[in-house]
Amino acid sequence: MEHMIRVLAADGGEKAAAAAEGTVTLVWEGAYEEGDKIILDPAECGRFYKVRIDDAMDEDLVYVAKTPVEFLVPFKEKKTSYNPKSFSGSLHCVSMRPALEEEIYSFRNLAKNAMDQHGDPGCYPHASANVETRGEAVFAARNAIDGMTANRSHGNWPYESWGINRQDDAELTLEFGRPVDVERILLYTRADFPHDNWWEQVTFAFSDGSEETVSLKKSLEPHVIPVKKTGISWLKFGKLIKADDPSPFPALTQIEVYGRYCR
């Protein structure tokens, strides 16, 4: 059975397509236009794939829970949280292949997915939140799992982050799509001091019903948090207690979750 990648215009017209039984690579000449979608249609859902949605972005290992996966090409304000070189120009390369067993079950960061988007994307990991500052792309939940750890400023790429709009009950949910075993979590809190505040205490809630509360410090470096969890499918990052500082703006640049997918 063949895997397929297509680029569709806003009106549904097909701009480009490629198919293959193993690795499928779509190389096409032309410019993306607002409303274009990249359609990933692997032969099987419920499997892991390695996907590079644009040649200026990382290749990621994702679990495809339903097909097809639709990626809306970002434009204007939505593009501000992406590398400016991505989805630009007149020559593009998109690739997808089934992941190898050793890739799927290796010890790695299970949270990274640079092609994550709002809504139900059909592939995991996926980040969502109950608030994103002013609804702006540079403060969206997806930014916390896109692989960018530059935390000494805020705003456009590479300084995109998850912003909580000063909301005390802000909460970010990270879904893995399948059960995972977790050994540690790294938090890159935004450190654009003195513009930024920081959290002194945060709480992780897990799909097994457990919670862990940890203390943080003002830091440019990642916070390394040992966590031993088996067979969880999601975690939530919330109950955020900010420091007694004049700034009202704590934020999260990146969350990394290290462990393995369960067999």
Side-chain angles (χ1 to χ4, degrees), residues 9-28:
D11 62 4
E14 187 174 273
K15 289 189 168 185
E21 291 186 358
T23 299
V24 54
T25 302
L26 172 61
V27 177
W28 74 283

Side-chain angles (χ1 to χ4, degrees), residues 116-257:
D116 191 32
Q117 292 193 323
H118 279 124
D120 181 5
C123 68
Y124 299 88
H126 172 56
S128 58
N130 62 347
V131 61
E132 296 172 336
T133 301
R134 297 184 297 274
E136 295 177 10
V138 295
F139 300 122
R142 66 158 298 275
N143 300 332
I145 63 169
D146 68 355
M148 297 302 301
T149 60
N151 66 345
R152 299 194 182 203
S153 187
H154 70 283
N156 293 2
W157 185 94
Y159 297 113
E160 69 277 12
S161 60
W162 173 50
I164 67 171
N165 204 34
R166 311 188 196 186
Q167 190 165 309
D168 290 338
D169 65 346
E171 184 176 75
L172 182 142
T173 300
L174 174 58
E175 299 171 89
F176 301 104
R178 288 277 305 277
V180 299
D181 295 338
V182 174
E183 294 189 15
R184 66 176 178 268
I185 297 173
L186 267 64
L187 293 178
Y188 289 81
T189 50
R190 209 175 64 196
D192 186 12
F193 308 126
H195 173 277
D196 285 344
N197 199 331
W198 66 96
W199 293 300
E200 290 187 327
Q201 182 176 292
V202 302
T203 298
F204 295 96
F206 301 93
S207 61
D208 62 4
S210 64
E211 290 189 352
E212 292 198 18
T213 298
V214 298
S215 298
L216 306 180
K217 297 180 179 180
K218 182 179 182 180
S219 178
L220 297 169
E221 300 300 317
H223 309 271
V224 181
I225 303 162
V227 172
K228 297 292 184 181
K229 294 294 172 184
T230 302
I232 63 167
S233 57
W234 54 260
L235 64 80
K236 292 186 178 182
F237 172 72
K239 298 182 181 178
L240 309 173
I241 308 299
K242 65 178 183 291
D244 184 14
D245 184 88
S247 169
F249 302 121
L252 179 66
T253 295
Q254 198 75 185
I255 180 171
E256 298 178 347
V257 180

